[in-house]
Amino acid sequence: MCDEARYTNKIGSDTRGLPHDKRGEVEQAAWQAFYIACQSGDPADFEKIPLGGTRKLVNPVGTLAVSLSGMNPTQIALPPAPALASAERGGEAVEVYWQSLLRDVPLTELRDDTSNRDVLAATEEINKLADFRGPKSGGRVTPGTLFRANALYFDPTDPKGRSVTPLGVLDGPLISQFLLRDVPNAAQWVSAQIRTPSPANEFLTEYEEWLAIQNGTPPKRRLQFDTTPRYVATGRDLAEYVHSGPAFGWAAALLLATPGGGADQRYSGMYPPAEPASYPSNPYRKSKTQNPGAATFGLPYLQALVAMGINNSARVSYWQKYFVHRAVRPEAYGGLAHHRLANGVSDYPLHDNFLRSEALDRSKGRYGTYLLSQTYPEAAPFHSSYPGGATSVGAVAATLLKAFFDESRVIANPVQPDPADPTKLVPYNGPPLTVGGELNKLAANYGFGRNWAGIHWRSDASASMAIGEEVAIGMLRDERMTLREPFEGFSFTRFDGSRATI
């Protein structure tokens, strides 16, 4: 039985944007109208849904469009979302509350030799959870694996799916090298530094603000930003980078496809012309008379595929959100915790691992309520939590890029933000970082960065890694059939470490 059937008051389902009572429970007539629309898929039924405010649902009918390239939403299977009362959901809640508490700790402290007491406390508590599916080292969560990414594949033999750690995501800095390099764009360049919110930006920790956002009222407060741009150095920075859909795939493609060298590195790619980063099987690597171009195998061709992949993966993930899972968001879960512990609502069945956690106690001590702090004034978009749309976008882009560029290439002179001054970069010294590993990390940064914001669970992001990969594979399969060039096919390493050749 799913949460939607288990709880008649729909506390385990995503009801945000609909009208709610003072306790934050959805009005049943509004839920019924929403449910009917999700069953029929009729655009007219979606127009009949009563909204609680002026904010609107995000594109439910658009998910029913037919994709002419690659997979369609109904062709991809996912494990079910963790149940509201389960140990897994409770463990995910402990993790996301710790992320909210550690948003302003430099990400360079997420290393195994850290002395940061808060990072060590989070690591210790997450290790004690009854069910936690994030990456581990030697069977344990360590500061170096804390908040890193995993990918979750559908597995008919295991109802919870098959969890793997993508190659490269545990290596080196948490932030991908592709987010720390200025991006050349012909006669222009795009700085890797970003506008960052100040640490004072915390939202939805007061009940009236929380309830208004659940009902769909636009936020009254706005983000306040630091005046000096800097590199992505904290969880808060990463959450803001992924707030509004950055052109991360476009940027990575430019860094790999633009020839390196030249006096000004801002206009330079990552590899010199004599050592192109294109995949060895690219047919134009062997041609004596032709170069790739906008028609096939050139940068515009790849950029077009990435743009289409983003569209196709969003259709799949959004379709799952509306027409299959309708899973509760972390912000709404925080409301259940607040009523359970502050107001004695005993019929909200949250797991003891969470209710008795140090993360929850610390959050209450900092904010005065049990609500989960959010970095976005509006909190999450109005569609359900599972699976994560942003992660599917990150994963499809990374997979397409791996199919066109040599994953094995080592990235020269890797860097990380200076913890003492994140307007500067300092060298990273450690095991080699590869293009493939950093593209996997790029996908994880784009998706799991939303967890730092407080709007997604780990399972949302990990399941969508597999979605994006499947969408990319379907698109490449279709593209392969249309190409005239003789070549061995697109080949890349999947997130689970296996090789795919198309």
Side-chain angles (χ1 to χ4, degrees), residues 133-425:
R133 308 203 89 198
K136 299 178 181 179
S137 177
R140 292 181 56 79
V141 177
T142 72
T145 68
L146 191 66
F147 309 138
R148 301 273 179 145
N150 65 310
L152 182 65
Y153 289 88
F154 176 78
D155 185 345
T157 68
D158 185 347
K160 289 188 174 182
R162 177 171 59 92
S163 180
V164 301
T165 302
L167 297 175
V169 301
L170 299 183
D171 298 335
L174 184 145
I175 299 299
S176 171
Q177 295 297 300
F178 290 102
L179 296 186
L180 299 175
R181 285 281 303 265
D182 294 337
V183 179
N185 186 24
Q188 298 174 300
W189 60 274
V190 179
S191 174
Q193 294 187 343
I194 68 167
R195 182 178 68 165
T196 58
S198 66
N201 287 276
E202 299 290 348
F203 302 95
L204 272 66
T205 58
E206 296 181 0
Y207 186 76
E208 292 305 316
E209 181 182 49
W210 175 87
L211 183 59
I213 294 297
Q214 303 313 292
N215 281 328
T217 301
K220 294 181 179 180
R221 296 191 290 149
R222 295 180 179 273
L223 282 168
Q224 302 298 314
F225 294 94
D226 293 330
T227 56
T228 303
R230 70 186 199 187
Y231 295 99
V232 176
T234 67
R236 187 184 302 279
D237 296 347
L238 182 59
E240 183 57 26
Y241 175 77
V242 301
H243 190 175
S244 301
F248 70 103
W250 166 85
L254 282 166
L255 282 165
L256 289 168
T258 303
D264 192 333
Q265 289 298 306
R266 295 174 299 177
Y267 300 93
S268 177
M270 300 180 79
Y271 296 97
E275 301 173 10
S278 58
Y279 199 82
S281 66
N282 185 313
Y284 292 95
R285 292 282 294 268
K286 300 177 181 179
S287 176
K288 297 178 181 179
T289 62
Q290 301 177 70
N291 280 323
T296 60
F297 289 95
L299 178 61
Y301 173 66
L302 171 57
Q303 289 173 321
L305 287 178
V306 169
M308 184 58 70
I310 289 171
N311 174 256
N312 288 348
S313 64
R315 289 179 179 179
V316 173
S317 58
Y318 286 15
W319 182 83
Q320 294 277 353
K321 288 171 181 286
Y322 281 112
F323 297 103
V324 182
H325 299 285
R326 298 185 284 275
V328 70
R329 285 273 186 176
E331 68 190 74
Y333 187 98
L336 300 177
H338 179 71
H339 282 300
R340 171 74 182 264
L341 296 172
N343 299 325
V345 181
S346 60
D347 58 342
Y348 287 172
L350 309 184
H351 198 274
D352 277 352
N353 277 180
F354 169 67
L355 293 174
R356 299 178 180 179
S357 67
E358 181 180 349
L360 183 58
D361 286 344
R362 286 198 186 200
S363 188
K364 171 63 162 59
R366 180 178 293 186
Y367 301 112
T369 68
Y370 295 100
L371 298 167
L372 174 63
S373 66
Q374 305 282 305
T375 67
Y376 306 153
E378 74 282 7
F382 280 170
H383 45 45
S384 81
S385 192
Y386 186 82
T391 318
S392 69
V393 165
V396 73
T399 303
L400 290 168
L401 288 165
K402 286 189 292 183
F404 279 80
F405 296 104
D406 188 351
E407 297 174 74
S408 68
R409 297 292 295 276
V410 172
I411 293 178
N413 304 315
V415 293
Q416 59 186 351
D418 184 343
D421 181 5
T423 66
K424 301 177 181 178
L425 296 173

